[in-house]
Amino acid sequence: MATGLYPQTKVLSKNFDVPNAHTLAVARPRGAYQSLEKALRTMTPAQVTEEVKKSRLRGRGGAGFPTGMKWSFVAKNTGKPTYLVMNADESEPGAFKDRYLMERDPHLVVEGALVSAYAIEASAVFIYVRGEYPNSIRRLEGAIAEARAAGLVGKDILGTKFSCEVWVHPGAGAYICGEETGLLESLEGKRGHPRIKPPFPAVEGVFRCPTIINNVETLSHVPWIVAHGGEAFAKQGIPPDPANPRSNGSTGTKLMGVSGQVRNPGLWEFEPGITLRELVYGYGGGPLPGRKIKAVIPGGISMPVLLDSELDVKMGFDELVKVGSGLGTGTAIVMDDTCDMVEACVNIAHFFGHESCGQCTPCREGCHWMEKVFRRVADGDGQPGDLDLLESLFKGIEGRTICFLADAAVWPVRSIVRKFRGEFLAKMTPAPTPAGA
Ligand SMILES: Cc1cc2nc3c(=O)[nH]c(=O)nc-3n(C[C@H](O)[C@H](O)[C@H](O)COP(=O)(O)O)c2cc1C
Ligand code: SF4
């Protein structure tokens, strides 16, 4: 790797290249479960939550919601058990960060789940894992079995009064089961149909009990926060904007990846001050020989594209929103100048149409309608009004559905239609010449 690059900060990834780090025999001497021990023996659940609030940790599943604040919404004294659900569905195209954590450091994932369960006083954790991740499932189940045998999972953990079960639940291959309430339905054995909110899961979640749902990467940060304190975490990355009292910054570290048409696809960990250009050109190695970068989606497939000229933006939650995109999963997809942007839209619309659960008409019908229009433009059969028709479809879909799958379907394709209008127009059938002209 060339020198002079933005530095990596290996916190979550510190064991990724350590042989057999997935076993307790290797992970424990390297510090695994020390934070669990510290939390259980020296902190109250409220104190753990307080440290997570101070850390300003924001959810790594895509939306960036403050984790400590989410935990404080959990309904108390309901007479029902409280559950923690770890979202390991990771079905977003281009996303592969949670898989690394589960396969290479499953004890960190399990410890993150247990410390977080302690904080919200949950009696069980369900880890909902993408069904197409058999290695992740195996590694997690192996880690849980080892942890249980060592008194780290189950009854009276480490001889304390805290008891917590951890269950791995494989999904069956639906993107919508990554949406938190679709996931809860699936966990209950039903179709993954997202629920109308409220009630929010923190009040009524899985099996109608108070439930906190967080992403794998989010919860994997919690052991470090307990070990070093929330303030130390908040000092890393991008601090909150002092001019904006609602800003939470982008603190801590973030797993970031690059896939697509680059020389060196991969996954690294940084404090969020790195720019998208440094990520794609520095770590991702830039375009393939003789090619130029045309467009980049900063995180997964669900965010608006950025042009090569727009890549000097920092990989932070608020910074990417300011330039009209979003951090999403933080795993960028790169398209070079061989990529046909109309065909890219066909693919994206097809994906979302296929994954729509079908409950909401704008999503069920709109995604397929978008795909049909993109398909005919790609085939050279576009009509003069098709770009206006697409704009009216975007308007008819966005913000009108139960969950964000439909919005996520609109964001990337709308940005492509607007930024690559010339490519669409070049493929449109010219309007017939009026008779006599
Ligand atoms: C269609 C759709 C798919 C999603 N897929 C995932 C996923 O695979 N993993 C994930 O963590 N969050 C996913 N999310 C976001 C979750 O609904 C939820 O916001 C997240 O799990 C909360 O965790 P966090 O606060 O730790 O980010 C998805 C959202 C939508 C709308
Ligand atoms: S937006 Fe789409 S995926 Fe989400 S609930 Fe409605 S139909 Fe289902």
Side-chain angles (χ1 to χ4, degrees):
M1 189 62 63
T3 52
L5 289 175
Y6 188 93
Q8 295 185 59
T9 307
K10 295 190 180 184
V11 174
L12 299 180
S13 56
K14 72 174 196 305
N15 290 335
F16 280 6
D17 297 321
V18 175
N20 296 320
H22 64 281
T23 62
L24 193 59
V26 173
R28 207 143 183 208
R30 293 181 62 80
Y33 299 104
Q34 280 178 9
S35 293
L36 178 66
E37 188 139 16
K38 177 176 175 184
L40 298 192
R41 298 206 193 287
T42 68
M43 298 168 83
T44 62
Q47 283 171 328
V48 178
T49 302
E50 195 47 40
E51 289 306 318
V52 173
K53 277 190 188 162
K54 277 192 214 156
S55 75
R56 297 181 180 273
L57 172 64
R58 292 175 70 171
R60 305 312 202 220
F65 193 83
T67 306
M69 190 191 295
K70 185 189 278 191
W71 291 5
S72 65
F73 295 153
V74 76
K76 302 262 190 240
N77 306 319
T78 58
K80 298 177 184 176
T82 297
Y83 295 122
L84 177 68
V85 173
M86 184 183 267
N87 190 342
D89 193 56
E90 195 160 70
S91 303
E92 175 87 7
F96 50 95
K97 64 185 184 69
D98 298 338
R99 177 164 64 79
Y100 268 69
L101 281 164
M102 292 185 282
E103 290 182 6
R104 300 196 181 196
D105 204 351
H107 283 290
L108 174 66
V109 174
V110 173
E111 185 183 12
L114 288 167
V115 180
S116 308
Y118 176 68
I120 63 162
E121 301 180 60
S123 53
V125 180
F126 298 97
I127 309 183
Y128 188 100
V129 191
R130 180 178 184 179
E132 296 93 329
Y133 277 1
N135 290 338
S136 299
I137 293 168
R138 255 197 304 275
R139 285 274 158 98
L140 282 175
E141 284 179 337
I144 293 164
E146 283 187 315
R148 180 172 280 115
L152 297 158
V153 165
K155 213 165 159 16
D156 300 336
I157 293 175
L158 288 165
T160 67
K161 292 207 170 96
F162 177 60
S163 299
C164 188
E165 280 303 328
V166 183
W167 307 109
V168 173
H169 185 103
Y175 175 62
I176 194 56
C177 290
E179 194 281 336
E180 56 185 19
T181 58
L183 186 158
L184 296 180
E185 288 284 300
S186 173
L187 201 53
E188 291 180 4
K190 304 180 204 147
R191 280 186 179 186
H193 279 183
R195 298 175 181 170
I196 293 173
K197 294 184 266 190
F200 288 93
V203 175
E204 196 176 298
V206 72
F207 309 121
R208 309 197 75 168
C209 296
T211 303
I212 290 294
I213 307 175
N214 277 119
N215 171 260
V216 174
E217 186 187 353
T218 312
L219 297 183
S220 299
H221 276 298
V222 174
W224 194 94
I225 293 170
V226 165
H228 301 270
E231 277 168 17
F233 189 90
K235 281 192 186 129
Q236 298 177 306
I238 305 174
D241 176 0
N244 176 3
R246 295 179 65 191
S247 156
N248 263 294
S250 302
T251 58
T253 60
K254 173 86 192 77
L255 294 176
M256 296 186 197
V258 181
S259 67
Q261 292 164 311
V262 286
R263 289 175 197 240
N264 184 34
L267 188 83
W268 306 272
E269 184 177 6
F270 307 102
E271 294 188 27
I274 187 171
T275 65
L276 185 50
R277 188 177 301 286
E278 287 167 306
L279 179 65
V280 168
Y281 280 85
Y283 284 88
L288 297 167
R291 306 265 53 106
K292 286 190 179 127
I293 287 178
K294 195 167 175 181
V296 178
I297 307 186
I301 206 175
S302 305
M303 293 292 148
V305 298
L306 294 172
L307 304 175
D308 190 35
S309 56
E310 297 174 307
L311 301 185
D312 292 307
V313 54
K314 286 185 179 173
M315 290 288 283
F317 289 103
D318 306 330
E319 289 66 21
L320 279 153
V321 169
K322 275 189 205 141
V323 297
S325 188
L327 182 61
T329 52
T331 43
I333 298 178
V334 177
M335 290 164 262
D336 73 16
D337 52 359
T338 61
C339 182
D340 179 328
M341 299 311 278
V342 185
E343 286 289 355
C345 286
V346 176
N347 264 333
I348 295 170
H350 177 77
F351 170 77
F352 285 102
H354 184 259
E355 297 299 331
S356 165
C357 83
Q359 286 187 99
C360 319
T361 309
C363 175
R364 185 185 63 240
E365 303 299 324
C367 291
H368 290 299
W369 195 352
M370 287 196 299
E371 182 190 350
K372 260 193 224 168
V373 179
F374 287 131
R375 182 74 271 161
R376 70 174 178 238
V377 175
D379 290 346
D381 296 327
Q383 304 300 311
D386 276 352
L387 294 186
D388 291 339
L389 172 59
L390 283 166
E391 288 290 345
S392 80
L393 282 173
F394 303 152
K395 217 168 140 197
I397 296 172
E398 190 186 14
R400 293 172 196 273
T401 55
I402 296 173
C403 87
F404 283 106
L405 181 138
D407 303 61
V410 167
W411 295 330
V413 296
R414 182 172 61 194
S415 67
I416 293 174
V417 168
R418 291 182 183 172
K419 289 182 175 175
F420 295 93
R421 199 175 169 85
E423 274 194 43
F424 285 77
L425 292 173
K427 286 181 187 275
M428 307 287 245
T429 315
T433 315

